[in-house]
Amino acid sequence: MEGQELPCVLIDCIGGKHGVYEDHAEFLKERFCLITMKEYLENKSFLGKKIRAIYMWYHKPVINEELLQSLPNLKIVASSGAGVDHLDLNLLSSYGVKVSNTPLTVSTDTADLGMALMLASSRRLVEGHQMAISPDTEYFPANWLGAEVSGATLGIVGMGTIGYKVAERAKAFEMKILYHNRKQRNKEEEHAVGATYCKKIDDLLQQADFVMLAVKLTPQTHKLIGKRELQLMKPTAILINISRGLVVDQDALVEALQNKVIKAAALDVTYPEPLPRDHPLLKLKDVLITPHIGSATVKTRHLMKENMTESIQAGLAGLPIPNEVLL
C-alpha cells in the first residue's frame, strides 16, 4: 500500500494486561494506522472521522452507543475469539457496522484444553502434584485413586465446531459419546465419532460420567446448568466448562459440590474472571480452575491476528468478510 494512506483502526492499547501484543502490533502497523483509545479520547473530533474499523482484543475497547455515535465512518468490528456475547449485535447493525470473529481458529486448542481438564480432574493431577512435592509427604498412599476416562461416558452440550473436535478426541479414548445440540448432526458426522444425539439435555445429564459444556452464551444458555440440572447428574460425575462462565449457575455449583451432588468440576471459565479471592469455588478441593486459556497458544493467537486482519481488509474493501457474524 505504498503511497496510500493506511486505514485507521481503533485498538484499546498496546501491551499491558489486555492490550494488543507488541509483536502483533508491529504486524498490524504494516497494514493499518493504529489509533489507541487514549489517542482517540484526546482528539475525538478529528480521529473519530478517520477510524474505519475496530480491532477488538480481549473484549477491548468496549463498544457502546456513545462510541458508535462518534465514529461515523466505522465499517467493521473484528473481535478475537469465538464468543460475541460481549457485543450488542443489534446496536452495531443499526449503525451499519459489520462484525467478524475467529471461531475456527480457536476450536482445536479449546478442544484440547477440554480434554486436558477432563483428564486432570478425573486423575486428580493437581492434588497428585501437590502430594508429590510436599515436604510433609513420606509415602504415596495405595488407596489414592482417580476416575477412569477410557470407556467412560462423555456428554457434550453444544456440538458445534469445538464440541465436535472434543468428540473426535474422546473417540480415541474409546468413550461412549452423547451430545445435546439445538440441531442434530447428520448421520455421517455422528457415525464418524460414534456420537448419539440426546434431544433432551436431561437424558444426557443422567447418563454421563463427564459433562462438557461447549455452547455459546446466549439468553437461552444463560445459567443452562443450574440446581435442577446438577441434581440430574450422577454423584460420580464431573462437570467441565470450556464455554462461558455464565452458562453455569455458580451458586448452585458450589452447593452441589459441597453436598456431594456431583463429584467435581473443571472450569476454564467463570464469572467474573478472575473470581474474587474469597469466592467459595476457590476453596473447594474438588474444583480445578484455569484462567480462560482455551485458545492461549502462540500459534493460535497469531492465527487470530491474521484472521482479524483479513476480515478488516475485506470489510473495508467491500468484499465478503471471512467469519462474518450474522444476526
Side-chain angles (χ1 to χ4, degrees), residues 177-192:
I177 301 169
L178 309 175
Y179 77 98
H180 172 73
N181 204 42
R182 285 181 303 168
K183 296 181 180 179
Q184 184 173 359
R185 289 266 186 168
N186 65 47
K187 295 299 181 183
E188 290 76 15
E189 291 170 330
E190 289 182 341
H191 179 74

Side-chain angles (χ1 to χ4, degrees), residues 54 62 70 73 91 105 127 134 191 227 253 269:
I54 296 177
V62 174
S70 66
N73 296 311
L91 177 64
T105 302
E127 291 177 78
S134 171
H191 179 74
K227 183 174 182 177
L253 177 60
V269 288

Side-chain angles (χ1 to χ4, degrees), residues 5-206:
E5 183 178 352
L6 295 175
C8 291
V9 174
L10 181 66
I11 62 172
D12 190 61
C13 61
I14 297 174
K17 293 180 180 179
H18 302 295
V20 174
Y21 302 154
E22 292 186 7
D23 60 326
H24 286 201
E26 293 307 310
F27 173 90
L28 295 170
K29 285 177 180 178
E30 295 176 1
R31 293 153 178 83
F32 309 120
C33 173
L34 297 184
I35 298 172
T36 66
M37 277 297 292
K38 182 176 183 294
E39 292 168 334
Y40 157 74
L41 291 172
E42 290 172 349
N43 197 356
K44 276 188 180 183
S45 59
F46 175 71
L47 293 178
K49 296 175 183 177
K50 295 178 71 66
I51 292 168
R52 301 181 63 202
I54 296 177
Y55 184 95
M56 199 173 198
W57 194 253
Y58 276 101
H59 299 180
K60 303 288 185 179
V62 174
I63 300 174
N64 53 31
E65 187 152 20
E66 180 183 357
L67 179 63
L68 292 173
Q69 287 175 346
S70 66
L71 305 178
N73 296 311
L74 183 67
K75 300 297 182 187
I76 180 171
V77 172
S79 179
S80 60
V84 291
D85 47 278
H86 55 286
L87 292 169
D88 187 334
L89 298 179
N90 287 307
L91 177 64
L92 286 160
S93 178
S94 72
Y95 280 84
V97 177
K98 295 187 176 183
V99 175
S100 71
N101 61 349
T102 61
L104 300 179
T105 302
V106 305
S107 59
T108 296
D109 284 342
T110 305
D112 286 349
L113 185 72
M115 295 299 293
L117 288 172
M118 180 165 60
L119 289 164
S121 183
S122 63
R123 300 304 300 271
R124 303 167 67 186
L125 293 190
V126 174
E127 291 177 78
H129 169 73
Q130 292 169 343
M131 180 194 299
I133 67 171
S134 171
D136 300 323
T137 297
E138 297 179 358
Y139 64 93
F140 295 156
N143 65 346
W144 192 85
L145 305 173
E148 61 279 2
V149 171
S150 294
T153 298
L154 170 63
I156 302 172
V157 181
M159 195 65 133
T161 306
I162 293 171
Y164 195 79
K165 284 182 177 288
V166 169
E168 290 175 328
R169 286 150 177 75
K171 182 184 178 184
F173 283 81
E174 300 176 342
M175 301 187 82
K176 178 182 178 182
I177 301 169
L178 309 175
Y179 77 98
H180 172 73
N181 204 42
R182 285 181 303 168
K183 296 181 180 179
Q184 184 173 359
R185 289 266 186 168
N186 65 47
K187 295 299 181 183
E188 290 76 15
E189 291 170 330
E190 289 182 341
H191 179 74
V193 294
T196 300
Y197 180 60
C198 294
K199 186 174 182 179
K200 295 181 179 179
I201 192 173
D202 292 11
D203 295 336
L204 179 150
L205 296 173
Q206 290 169 334

